[in-house]
């Protein structure tokens, strides 16, 4: 009771607006100085460093609290100049408690911000790596096409040389043009339907050098699809090559390729009549598999394959429509 009687007699300083503004200003200045000091320490002592066996983050925490207490002590000196009376015992320690709480809050906020920034940076690096891997995979898939085509083209050239040398020379010139076009188009992942059709027609003309009227084709696509629609590069050529490889045909019983468009689902249908060879080639499935894997990079709608005794159809999603 004696303690309460002694301190109840301690005069309480009268409230004044100027005193309130002064104390509030010191508290605000103290907080922002704490904030600035800890931000500066963050740049001076990065979290990835070590000082001996002590992680740099721990050293930064200790310095942050020490500097905070030192600043509070200096500001406390100015605060005492604003008071007319001595504060009750124990009150003089409140600024240091407030400094500890402020520094703890600031350090927590900084760590959360830094952690979120590092997480975002890791996610960005991961996304960039995934994109690089997808591009590399896409390039690898495109490169699979050329050896497959060249193998067949060289086989055709060998047959023409044996049967008709002048026609073989013409074939070489057409083949050279075709390869120049393929090298140019290979730098793109997708091209317009018009470009793909032109490339397909060049390919069919090469095949007609060998098979004459044994290969026929009809194309029925709207102009706006040709101009604005996009397809993975070499997609139609792969389907034509697949049809030629797996079917028996002749001038009397030609292989017919039909390319149509469905407005309802924006699909291009490539259809060929089927006449299986008696001695079937061993199919690696690389053509259709390549096409399906490349489509995964551009669309959720993968090529749809329909096979009957009379016809084989592959439906391709038109990109960009």
């Amino acid at each position: 009771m004696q303690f309460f009687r002694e301190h109840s007699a301690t005069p309480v300083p009268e409230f004044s607006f100027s005193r309130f503004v002064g104390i509030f200003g010191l508290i605000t200045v103290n907080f922002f100085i704490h904030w600035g000091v800890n931000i500066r320490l963050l740049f001076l002592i990065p979290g990835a460093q070590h000082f001996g066996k002590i992680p740099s983050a721990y050293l930064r925490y200790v310095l942050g609290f020490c500097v905070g207490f030192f600043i509070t002590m200096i500001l406390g000196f100015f605060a005492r100049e604003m008071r007319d009376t001595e504060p009750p015992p124990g009150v003089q320690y409140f600024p240091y408690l407030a400094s500890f709480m402020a520094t703890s809050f600031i350090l927590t906020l900084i760590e959360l911000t830094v952690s979120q920034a590092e997480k975002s940076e890791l996610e960005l690096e991961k996304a960039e790596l995934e994109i690089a891997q997808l591009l590399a995979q896409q390039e690898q898939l495109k490169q699979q096409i050329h050896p497959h085509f060249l193998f067949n083209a060289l086989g055709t050239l060998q047959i023409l040389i044996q049967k008709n040398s002048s026609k073989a020379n013409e074939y070489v010139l057409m083949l050279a043009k075709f390869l120049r076009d393929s090298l140019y188009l290979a730098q793109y992942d997708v091209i317009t339907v018009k470009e793909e059709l032109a490339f397909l027609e060049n390919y069919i003309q090469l095949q007609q050098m060998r098979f004459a009227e044994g290969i026929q084709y009809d194309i029925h696509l709207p102009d706006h699809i040709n101009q604005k629609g996009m397809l993975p590069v070499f997609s139609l050529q792969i389907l034509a090559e697949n049809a030629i490889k797996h079917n028996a045909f002749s001038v009397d019983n030609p292989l017919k390729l039909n390319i149509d468009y469905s407005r309802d689902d924006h699909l291009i249908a490539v259809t060929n009549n089927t006449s299986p060879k008696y001695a079937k080639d061993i199919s690696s499935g690389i053509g259709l598999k390549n096409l399906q894997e490349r489509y995964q990079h551009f669309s959720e709608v993968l090529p749809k394959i329909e096979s009957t005794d009379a016809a084989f159809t592959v439906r391709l999603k038109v990109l960009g429509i």
Side-chain angles (χ1 to χ4, degrees):
M1 296 297 294
Q2 182 68 24
F3 174 81
F4 290 107
R5 283 196 297 270
E6 289 176 359
H7 291 289
S8 63
T10 302
V12 178
E14 296 182 359
F15 173 81
S16 67
F17 182 75
S18 60
R19 181 181 287 110
F20 171 78
V21 172
I23 294 174
F24 181 79
L26 285 174
I27 294 174
T28 303
V29 170
N30 189 17
F31 181 83
F32 280 103
I33 291 177
H34 277 63
W35 180 266
V37 166
N38 283 281
I39 290 293
R40 185 61 180 170
L41 288 173
L42 176 64
F43 288 99
L44 290 176
I45 310 176
Q49 294 184 358
H50 280 74
F51 296 87
K53 296 183 178 181
I54 303 175
S56 59
Y58 294 163
L59 180 60
R60 181 161 50 84
Y61 299 158
V62 172
L63 288 176
F65 283 113
C66 290
V67 173
F69 288 149
F70 179 72
I71 294 171
T72 300
M73 183 174 64
I74 295 176
L75 293 178
F77 171 78
F78 293 101
R80 284 194 294 272
E81 298 298 322
M82 297 181 184
R83 294 197 295 264
D84 299 329
T85 58
E86 289 294 325
V91 174
Q92 65 269 25
Y93 299 113
F94 286 174
Y96 298 100
L97 178 61
S99 173
F100 177 83
M101 295 176 64
T103 302
S104 299
F105 172 77
I106 292 169
L107 287 175
T108 301
L109 188 60
I110 288 175
E111 290 301 320
L112 289 175
T113 304
V114 170
S115 176
Q116 185 62 36
E118 291 176 348
K119 181 180 178 181
S120 299
E121 185 176 355
L122 288 175
E123 290 178 350
L124 179 60
E125 291 178 355
K126 181 181 178 181
E128 291 176 347
L129 180 60
E130 289 178 351
I131 291 174
Q133 290 175 339
L134 288 175
L135 290 175
Q137 183 181 3
Q138 174 71 5
E139 191 63 27
Q140 182 182 12
L141 289 171
K142 286 195 299 183
Q143 293 303 321
Q144 291 177 357
I145 298 170
H146 298 293
H148 191 223
F149 165 75
L150 286 174
F151 177 80
N152 292 332
L154 292 176
T156 301
L157 179 60
Q158 182 181 12
I159 294 174
L160 289 176
I161 290 174
Q162 295 173 353
K163 292 184 177 181
N164 190 330
S165 59
S166 61
K167 199 171 184 180
N169 291 333
E170 185 180 353
Y171 183 85
V172 168
L173 294 176
M174 294 182 64
L175 178 61
K177 179 183 182 302
F178 179 83
L179 291 177
R180 283 196 302 270
D181 292 342
S182 68
L183 289 174
Y184 170 75
L185 295 175
Q187 63 184 313
Y188 302 103
D189 294 328
V190 295
I191 57 177
T192 64
V193 174
K194 181 179 179 180
E195 291 173 317
E196 183 65 27
L197 285 175
F199 188 73
L200 170 67
E201 289 184 296
N202 287 341
Y203 172 77
I204 293 178
Q205 288 172 8
L206 276 172
Q207 299 303 321
Q208 287 177 335
M209 289 286 293
R210 176 184 175 185
F211 300 107
E213 295 300 319
I215 298 178
Q216 301 174 8
Y217 67 98
D218 288 309
I219 300 174
H220 304 283
L221 298 180
D223 289 338
H224 75 281
I225 294 300
N226 292 339
Q227 301 296 333
K228 297 181 180 180
M230 308 289 287
L231 287 172
V233 65
F234 309 140
S235 54
L236 297 181
Q237 183 263 331
I238 289 176
L239 297 179
E241 185 175 1
N242 192 64
I244 293 171
K245 178 181 179 182
H246 296 292
N247 288 281
F249 51 89
S250 64
V251 175
D252 296 330
N253 183 29
L255 175 69
K256 297 180 180 180
L257 291 171
N258 292 290
I259 302 177
D260 300 300
Y261 176 71
S262 172
R263 298 180 183 272
D264 296 333
D265 45 18
H266 303 295
L267 297 179
I268 289 180
V270 181
T271 304
N272 64 269
N273 57 316
T274 57
S275 180
K277 295 181 178 180
Y278 291 107
K280 293 185 178 181
D281 295 333
I282 298 176
S283 176
S284 63
I286 189 173
L288 292 177
K289 183 180 179 182
N290 179 293
L291 186 59
Q292 289 176 327
E293 289 180 354
R294 287 196 294 140
Y295 248 97
Q296 291 177 356
H297 300 293
F298 308 116
S299 173
E300 295 180 356
V301 182
L302 300 182
K304 300 178 180 179
I305 301 173
E306 302 172 6
S307 180
T308 66
D309 293 337
F312 183 85
T313 302
V314 178
R315 302 183 188 276
L316 303 177
K317 175 70 175 178
V318 180
L319 308 176
I321 299 297

PDB file of all heavy atoms in Angstrom, residues 11-27 78-86:
ATOM      1  N   PRO A  11       3.018  13.515  -9.654  1.00  0.00           N
ATOM      2  CA  PRO A  11       2.199  14.388 -10.505  1.00  0.00           C
ATOM      3  C   PRO A  11       2.147  13.872 -11.935  1.00  0.00           C
ATOM      4  O   PRO A  11       3.153  13.443 -12.491  1.00  0.00           O
ATOM      5  CB  PRO A  11       2.916  15.736 -10.434  1.00  0.00           C
ATOM      6  CG  PRO A  11       4.328  15.406 -10.076  1.00  0.00           C
ATOM      7  CD  PRO A  11       4.242  14.197  -9.189  1.00  0.00           C
ATOM      8  N   VAL A  12       0.969  13.863 -12.500  1.00  0.00           N
ATOM      9  CA  VAL A  12       0.765  13.436 -13.881  1.00  0.00           C
ATOM     10  C   VAL A  12       0.867  14.646 -14.790  1.00  0.00           C
ATOM     11  O   VAL A  12       0.198  15.651 -14.537  1.00  0.00           O
ATOM     12  CB  VAL A  12      -0.608  12.759 -14.057  1.00  0.00           C
ATOM     13  CG1 VAL A  12      -0.815  12.356 -15.516  1.00  0.00           C
ATOM     14  CG2 VAL A  12      -0.727  11.571 -13.131  1.00  0.00           C
ATOM     15  N   PRO A  13       1.704  14.588 -15.796  1.00  0.00           N
ATOM     16  CA  PRO A  13       1.851  15.753 -16.661  1.00  0.00           C
ATOM     17  C   PRO A  13       0.544  16.084 -17.364  1.00  0.00           C
ATOM     18  O   PRO A  13      -0.198  15.192 -17.780  1.00  0.00           O
ATOM     19  CB  PRO A  13       2.925  15.321 -17.664  1.00  0.00           C
ATOM     20  CG  PRO A  13       2.933  13.842 -17.623  1.00  0.00           C
ATOM     21  CD  PRO A  13       2.544  13.462 -16.249  1.00  0.00           C
ATOM     22  N   GLU A  14       0.240  17.366 -17.427  1.00  0.00           N
ATOM     23  CA  GLU A  14      -0.976  17.804 -18.076  1.00  0.00           C
ATOM     24  C   GLU A  14      -0.874  17.561 -19.584  1.00  0.00           C
ATOM     25  O   GLU A  14       0.186  17.693 -20.186  1.00  0.00           O
ATOM     26  CB  GLU A  14      -1.215  19.284 -17.803  1.00  0.00           C
ATOM     27  CG  GLU A  14      -1.461  19.601 -16.333  1.00  0.00           C
ATOM     28  CD  GLU A  14      -1.731  21.090 -16.131  1.00  0.00           C
ATOM     29  OE1 GLU A  14      -1.697  21.821 -17.153  1.00  0.00           O
ATOM     30  OE2 GLU A  14      -1.977  21.493 -14.996  1.00  0.00           O
ATOM     31  N   PHE A  15      -2.032  17.195 -20.142  1.00  0.00           N
ATOM     32  CA  PHE A  15      -2.077  16.946 -21.585  1.00  0.00           C
ATOM     33  C   PHE A  15      -2.081  18.272 -22.341  1.00  0.00           C
ATOM     34  O   PHE A  15      -2.767  19.217 -21.948  1.00  0.00           O
ATOM     35  CB  PHE A  15      -3.336  16.150 -21.949  1.00  0.00           C
ATOM     36  CG  PHE A  15      -3.532  15.999 -23.425  1.00  0.00           C
ATOM     37  CD1 PHE A  15      -2.842  15.024 -24.118  1.00  0.00           C
ATOM     38  CD2 PHE A  15      -4.380  16.849 -24.129  1.00  0.00           C
ATOM     39  CE1 PHE A  15      -3.007  14.865 -25.477  1.00  0.00           C
ATOM     40  CE2 PHE A  15      -4.539  16.689 -25.485  1.00  0.00           C
ATOM     41  CZ  PHE A  15      -3.858  15.700 -26.161  1.00  0.00           C
ATOM     42  N   SER A  16      -1.288  18.302 -23.402  1.00  0.00           N
ATOM     43  CA  SER A  16      -1.309  19.471 -24.275  1.00  0.00           C
ATOM     44  C   SER A  16      -1.114  18.985 -25.697  1.00  0.00           C
ATOM     45  O   SER A  16      -0.444  17.976 -25.947  1.00  0.00           O
ATOM     46  CB  SER A  16      -0.208  20.472 -23.907  1.00  0.00           C
ATOM     47  OG  SER A  16       1.069  19.928 -24.167  1.00  0.00           O
ATOM     48  N   PHE A  17      -1.705  19.720 -26.625  1.00  0.00           N
ATOM     49  CA  PHE A  17      -1.641  19.310 -28.017  1.00  0.00           C
ATOM     50  C   PHE A  17      -0.218  19.342 -28.541  1.00  0.00           C
ATOM     51  O   PHE A  17       0.211  18.459 -29.285  1.00  0.00           O
ATOM     52  CB  PHE A  17      -2.544  20.229 -28.859  1.00  0.00           C
ATOM     53  CG  PHE A  17      -2.576  19.859 -30.312  1.00  0.00           C
ATOM     54  CD1 PHE A  17      -3.285  18.746 -30.741  1.00  0.00           C
ATOM     55  CD2 PHE A  17      -1.868  20.608 -31.247  1.00  0.00           C
ATOM     56  CE1 PHE A  17      -3.307  18.396 -32.072  1.00  0.00           C
ATOM     57  CE2 PHE A  17      -1.887  20.258 -32.584  1.00  0.00           C
ATOM     58  CZ  PHE A  17      -2.619  19.161 -32.997  1.00  0.00           C
ATOM     59  N   SER A  18       0.535  20.326 -28.152  1.00  0.00           N
ATOM     60  CA  SER A  18       1.915  20.439 -28.624  1.00  0.00           C
ATOM     61  C   SER A  18       2.758  19.278 -28.121  1.00  0.00           C
ATOM     62  O   SER A  18       3.605  18.743 -28.844  1.00  0.00           O
ATOM     63  CB  SER A  18       2.521  21.773 -28.177  1.00  0.00           C
ATOM     64  OG  SER A  18       2.528  21.860 -26.755  1.00  0.00           O
ATOM     65  N   ARG A  19       2.515  18.866 -26.834  1.00  0.00           N
ATOM     66  CA  ARG A  19       3.265  17.735 -26.288  1.00  0.00           C
ATOM     67  C   ARG A  19       2.898  16.450 -27.052  1.00  0.00           C
ATOM     68  O   ARG A  19       3.764  15.625 -27.363  1.00  0.00           O
ATOM     69  CB  ARG A  19       2.982  17.569 -24.809  1.00  0.00           C
ATOM     70  CG  ARG A  19       3.777  16.398 -24.171  1.00  0.00           C
ATOM     71  CD  ARG A  19       3.477  16.228 -22.708  1.00  0.00           C
ATOM     72  NE  ARG A  19       4.088  17.296 -21.921  1.00  0.00           N
ATOM     73  CZ  ARG A  19       3.421  18.268 -21.302  1.00  0.00           C
ATOM     74  NH1 ARG A  19       2.105  18.282 -21.383  1.00  0.00           N
ATOM     75  NH2 ARG A  19       4.041  19.205 -20.634  1.00  0.00           N
ATOM     76  N   PHE A  20       1.606  16.289 -27.371  1.00  0.00           N
ATOM     77  CA  PHE A  20       1.145  15.110 -28.099  1.00  0.00           C
ATOM     78  C   PHE A  20       1.786  15.049 -29.494  1.00  0.00           C
ATOM     79  O   PHE A  20       2.277  14.001 -29.933  1.00  0.00           O
ATOM     80  CB  PHE A  20      -0.379  15.131 -28.221  1.00  0.00           C
ATOM     81  CG  PHE A  20      -0.935  14.065 -29.136  1.00  0.00           C
ATOM     82  CD1 PHE A  20      -1.049  12.762 -28.709  1.00  0.00           C
ATOM     83  CD2 PHE A  20      -1.327  14.391 -30.433  1.00  0.00           C
ATOM     84  CE1 PHE A  20      -1.533  11.781 -29.543  1.00  0.00           C
ATOM     85  CE2 PHE A  20      -1.812  13.415 -31.264  1.00  0.00           C
ATOM     86  CZ  PHE A  20      -1.923  12.097 -30.823  1.00  0.00           C
ATOM     87  N   VAL A  21       1.785  16.182 -30.184  1.00  0.00           N
ATOM     88  CA  VAL A  21       2.374  16.233 -31.519  1.00  0.00           C
ATOM     89  C   VAL A  21       3.860  15.919 -31.461  1.00  0.00           C
ATOM     90  O   VAL A  21       4.411  15.191 -32.292  1.00  0.00           O
ATOM     91  CB  VAL A  21       2.129  17.609 -32.167  1.00  0.00           C
ATOM     92  CG1 VAL A  21       2.918  17.727 -33.482  1.00  0.00           C
ATOM     93  CG2 VAL A  21       0.652  17.817 -32.441  1.00  0.00           C
ATOM     94  N   GLY A  22       4.544  16.446 -30.457  1.00  0.00           N
ATOM     95  CA  GLY A  22       5.974  16.209 -30.332  1.00  0.00           C
ATOM     96  C   GLY A  22       6.295  14.750 -30.088  1.00  0.00           C
ATOM     97  O   GLY A  22       7.186  14.172 -30.727  1.00  0.00           O
ATOM     98  N   ILE A  23       5.547  14.116 -29.168  1.00  0.00           N
ATOM     99  CA  ILE A  23       5.797  12.706 -28.869  1.00  0.00           C
ATOM    100  C   ILE A  23       5.437  11.817 -30.058  1.00  0.00           C
ATOM    101  O   ILE A  23       6.176  10.896 -30.428  1.00  0.00           O
ATOM    102  CB  ILE A  23       5.000  12.282 -27.616  1.00  0.00           C
ATOM    103  CG1 ILE A  23       5.532  13.030 -26.395  1.00  0.00           C
ATOM    104  CG2 ILE A  23       5.093  10.771 -27.398  1.00  0.00           C
ATOM    105  CD1 ILE A  23       4.736  12.797 -25.135  1.00  0.00           C
ATOM    106  N   PHE A  24       4.301  12.128 -30.710  1.00  0.00           N
ATOM    107  CA  PHE A  24       3.892  11.341 -31.872  1.00  0.00           C
ATOM    108  C   PHE A  24       4.918  11.474 -32.995  1.00  0.00           C
ATOM    109  O   PHE A  24       5.234  10.505 -33.699  1.00  0.00           O
ATOM    110  CB  PHE A  24       2.513  11.799 -32.354  1.00  0.00           C
ATOM    111  CG  PHE A  24       2.001  11.031 -33.536  1.00  0.00           C
ATOM    112  CD1 PHE A  24       1.447   9.771 -33.380  1.00  0.00           C
ATOM    113  CD2 PHE A  24       2.096  11.572 -34.823  1.00  0.00           C
ATOM    114  CE1 PHE A  24       0.981   9.064 -34.471  1.00  0.00           C
ATOM    115  CE2 PHE A  24       1.634  10.859 -35.911  1.00  0.00           C
ATOM    116  CZ  PHE A  24       1.075   9.609 -35.730  1.00  0.00           C
ATOM    117  N   GLY A  25       5.436  12.688 -33.158  1.00  0.00           N
ATOM    118  CA  GLY A  25       6.450  12.899 -34.185  1.00  0.00           C
ATOM    119  C   GLY A  25       7.707  12.101 -33.915  1.00  0.00           C
ATOM    120  O   GLY A  25       8.297  11.520 -34.831  1.00  0.00           O
ATOM    121  N   LEU A  26       8.129  12.043 -32.629  1.00  0.00           N
ATOM    122  CA  LEU A  26       9.318  11.265 -32.289  1.00  0.00           C
ATOM    123  C   LEU A  26       9.105   9.781 -32.537  1.00  0.00           C
ATOM    124  O   LEU A  26       9.995   9.079 -33.028  1.00  0.00           O
ATOM    125  CB  LEU A  26       9.689  11.503 -30.823  1.00  0.00           C
ATOM    126  CG  LEU A  26      10.348  12.852 -30.498  1.00  0.00           C
ATOM    127  CD1 LEU A  26      10.529  12.997 -28.988  1.00  0.00           C
ATOM    128  CD2 LEU A  26      11.690  12.966 -31.202  1.00  0.00           C
ATOM    129  N   ILE A  27       7.895   9.299 -32.188  1.00  0.00           N
ATOM    130  CA  ILE A  27       7.585   7.882 -32.430  1.00  0.00           C
ATOM    131  C   ILE A  27       7.626   7.569 -33.924  1.00  0.00           C
ATOM    132  O   ILE A  27       8.177   6.558 -34.355  1.00  0.00           O
ATOM    133  CB  ILE A  27       6.208   7.526 -31.831  1.00  0.00           C
ATOM    134  CG1 ILE A  27       6.261   7.638 -30.303  1.00  0.00           C
ATOM    135  CG2 ILE A  27       5.789   6.120 -32.260  1.00  0.00           C
ATOM    136  CD1 ILE A  27       4.911   7.451 -29.636  1.00  0.00           C
ATOM    137  N   PHE A  78      15.846  13.579 -26.438  1.00  0.00           N
ATOM    138  CA  PHE A  78      15.031  14.717 -26.865  1.00  0.00           C
ATOM    139  C   PHE A  78      13.638  14.656 -26.249  1.00  0.00           C
ATOM    140  O   PHE A  78      13.037  15.693 -25.961  1.00  0.00           O
ATOM    141  CB  PHE A  78      14.926  14.738 -28.389  1.00  0.00           C
ATOM    142  CG  PHE A  78      16.223  15.030 -29.089  1.00  0.00           C
ATOM    143  CD1 PHE A  78      16.962  14.015 -29.660  1.00  0.00           C
ATOM    144  CD2 PHE A  78      16.707  16.325 -29.158  1.00  0.00           C
ATOM    145  CE1 PHE A  78      18.163  14.281 -30.300  1.00  0.00           C
ATOM    146  CE2 PHE A  78      17.907  16.597 -29.805  1.00  0.00           C
ATOM    147  CZ  PHE A  78      18.640  15.578 -30.368  1.00  0.00           C
ATOM    148  N   ALA A  79      13.135  13.451 -26.040  1.00  0.00           N
ATOM    149  CA  ALA A  79      11.805  13.328 -25.442  1.00  0.00           C
ATOM    150  C   ALA A  79      11.799  13.840 -24.012  1.00  0.00           C
ATOM    151  O   ALA A  79      10.824  14.453 -23.554  1.00  0.00           O
ATOM    152  CB  ALA A  79      11.345  11.872 -25.490  1.00  0.00           C
ATOM    153  N   ARG A  80      12.894  13.608 -23.287  1.00  0.00           N
ATOM    154  CA  ARG A  80      12.955  14.095 -21.898  1.00  0.00           C
ATOM    155  C   ARG A  80      12.948  15.615 -21.831  1.00  0.00           C
ATOM    156  O   ARG A  80      12.470  16.205 -20.865  1.00  0.00           O
ATOM    157  CB  ARG A  80      14.217  13.542 -21.224  1.00  0.00           C
ATOM    158  CG  ARG A  80      14.111  12.079 -20.824  1.00  0.00           C
ATOM    159  CD  ARG A  80      15.223  11.685 -19.879  1.00  0.00           C
ATOM    160  NE  ARG A  80      16.537  11.747 -20.524  1.00  0.00           N
ATOM    161  CZ  ARG A  80      17.076  10.737 -21.192  1.00  0.00           C
ATOM    162  NH1 ARG A  80      16.402   9.583 -21.306  1.00  0.00           N
ATOM    163  NH2 ARG A  80      18.257  10.869 -21.753  1.00  0.00           N
ATOM    164  N   GLU A  81      13.448  16.237 -22.879  1.00  0.00           N
ATOM    165  CA  GLU A  81      13.459  17.700 -22.898  1.00  0.00           C
ATOM    166  C   GLU A  81      12.054  18.270 -23.042  1.00  0.00           C
ATOM    167  O   GLU A  81      11.816  19.444 -22.723  1.00  0.00           O
ATOM    168  CB  GLU A  81      14.334  18.192 -24.059  1.00  0.00           C
ATOM    169  CG  GLU A  81      15.791  17.790 -23.962  1.00  0.00           C
ATOM    170  CD  GLU A  81      16.452  18.373 -22.715  1.00  0.00           C
ATOM    171  OE1 GLU A  81      16.133  19.522 -22.365  1.00  0.00           O
ATOM    172  OE2 GLU A  81      17.270  17.669 -22.099  1.00  0.00           O
ATOM    173  N   MET A  82      11.117  17.435 -23.525  1.00  0.00           N
ATOM    174  CA  MET A  82       9.742  17.908 -23.710  1.00  0.00           C
ATOM    175  C   MET A  82       8.891  17.740 -22.457  1.00  0.00           C
ATOM    176  O   MET A  82       7.754  18.186 -22.416  1.00  0.00           O
ATOM    177  CB  MET A  82       9.076  17.139 -24.866  1.00  0.00           C
ATOM    178  CG  MET A  82       9.738  17.359 -26.207  1.00  0.00           C
ATOM    179  SD  MET A  82       8.879  16.435 -27.503  1.00  0.00           S
ATOM    180  CE  MET A  82       9.942  16.802 -28.904  1.00  0.00           C
ATOM    181  N   ARG A  83       9.427  17.019 -21.465  1.00  0.00           N
ATOM    182  CA  ARG A  83       8.639  16.752 -20.263  1.00  0.00           C
ATOM    183  C   ARG A  83       9.010  17.735 -19.167  1.00  0.00           C
ATOM    184  O   ARG A  83      10.186  18.099 -18.995  1.00  0.00           O
ATOM    185  CB  ARG A  83       8.877  15.314 -19.779  1.00  0.00           C
ATOM    186  CG  ARG A  83       8.368  14.250 -20.725  1.00  0.00           C
ATOM    187  CD  ARG A  83       8.266  12.916 -20.009  1.00  0.00           C
ATOM    188  NE  ARG A  83       9.582  12.440 -19.599  1.00  0.00           N
ATOM    189  CZ  ARG A  83      10.322  11.591 -20.297  1.00  0.00           C
ATOM    190  NH1 ARG A  83       9.890  11.128 -21.444  1.00  0.00           N
ATOM    191  NH2 ARG A  83      11.513  11.206 -19.849  1.00  0.00           N
ATOM    192  N   ASP A  84       8.006  18.139 -18.422  1.00  0.00           N
ATOM    193  CA  ASP A  84       8.223  19.046 -17.287  1.00  0.00           C
ATOM    194  C   ASP A  84       8.446  18.283 -15.999  1.00  0.00           C
ATOM    195  O   ASP A  84       8.993  18.829 -15.033  1.00  0.00           O
ATOM    196  CB  ASP A  84       7.006  19.975 -17.115  1.00  0.00           C
ATOM    197  CG  ASP A  84       6.804  20.835 -18.357  1.00  0.00           C
ATOM    198  OD1 ASP A  84       7.817  21.157 -19.020  1.00  0.00           O
ATOM    199  OD2 ASP A  84       5.650  21.155 -18.678  1.00  0.00           O
ATOM    200  N   THR A  85       8.005  17.016 -15.989  1.00  0.00           N
ATOM    201  CA  THR A  85       8.119  16.212 -14.766  1.00  0.00           C
ATOM    202  C   THR A  85       8.740  14.877 -15.109  1.00  0.00           C
ATOM    203  O   THR A  85       8.766  14.463 -16.273  1.00  0.00           O
ATOM    204  CB  THR A  85       6.726  15.976 -14.131  1.00  0.00           C
ATOM    205  OG1 THR A  85       5.907  15.317 -15.102  1.00  0.00           O
ATOM    206  CG2 THR A  85       6.087  17.297 -13.729  1.00  0.00           C
ATOM    207  N   GLU A  86       9.233  14.215 -14.094  1.00  0.00           N
ATOM    208  CA  GLU A  86       9.807  12.890 -14.281  1.00  0.00           C
ATOM    209  C   GLU A  86       8.695  11.860 -14.458  1.00  0.00           C
ATOM    210  O   GLU A  86       7.663  11.934 -13.770  1.00  0.00           O
ATOM    211  CB  GLU A  86      10.669  12.505 -13.078  1.00  0.00           C
ATOM    212  CG  GLU A  86      11.954  13.290 -12.981  1.00  0.00           C
ATOM    213  CD  GLU A  86      12.876  12.981 -14.142  1.00  0.00           C
ATOM    214  OE1 GLU A  86      12.890  11.806 -14.596  1.00  0.00           O
ATOM    215  OE2 GLU A  86      13.560  13.907 -14.618  1.00  0.00           O
TER     216      GLU A  86
END
